[in-house]
Amino acid sequence: MDTLNQYRQIVRQILTTYAQVKPSYGEIARQTVFDAEQDHYQVVNTGWEKQRRVYGCLIHVDIQAGKIWIQYDGTEAGIANELVEAGVPKQDIVLAYQSPSMRKLTEFAVG
């Protein structure tokens, strides 16, 4: 399997696992949003907590130029760590939610 398809499979698997975990509060559902043509992948929270509407992105990952760009990570464990555990090299993971100057200080790719 080529690297791009392998990365797509790993990202979908990790995000699907997060989507199956129901938040401990409110009537909130988690949904995956996968755009395989443009390589955009998200987990989105939708629902209600008491009288308050809950809607927002929990995870947003893109695959661009052979690298996995983590645009947003609202998890405790960190998607980057899970990607590494799944076999993705750190040099193929970009912490896009950090400024380019801060990325240089991490073990991950700058972009």
Side-chain angles (χ1 to χ4, degrees):
M1 179 183 307
D2 67 277
T3 303
L4 178 59
N5 284 326
Q6 182 181 10
Y7 287 180
R8 286 173 174 155
Q9 182 179 345
I10 290 169
V11 167
R12 285 191 301 257
Q13 183 177 20
I14 291 171
L15 270 58
T16 298
T17 300
Y18 272 98
Q20 294 171 349
V21 177
K22 182 174 172 24
S24 59
Y25 58 90
E27 294 298 319
I28 300 170
R30 288 196 171 148
Q31 302 171 346
T32 56
V33 181
F34 296 160
D35 177 357
E37 285 185 28
Q38 301 298 317
D39 281 320
H40 303 295
Y41 305 89
Q42 296 184 359
V43 175
V44 178
N45 290 324
T46 61
W48 292 89
E49 181 184 5
K50 299 181 183 174
Q51 300 298 317
R52 186 177 75 86
R53 175 71 174 153
V54 174
Y55 177 83
C57 181
L58 177 66
I59 303 166
H60 178 174
V61 174
D62 296 329
I63 301 175
Q64 303 171 3
K67 296 190 185 305
I68 298 174
W69 290 68
I70 303 172
Q71 303 292 351
Y72 183 79
D73 184 357
T75 69
E76 288 184 34
I79 294 301
N81 297 324
E82 295 189 45
L83 290 168
V84 170
E85 288 176 16
V88 178
K90 289 183 180 181
Q91 67 265 18
D92 285 353
I93 301 170
V94 179
L95 306 178
Y97 56 84
Q98 291 186 344
S99 69
S101 62
M102 292 301 292
R103 289 182 214 154
K104 292 186 284 189
L105 305 175
T106 72
E107 299 175 329
F108 296 97
V110 174

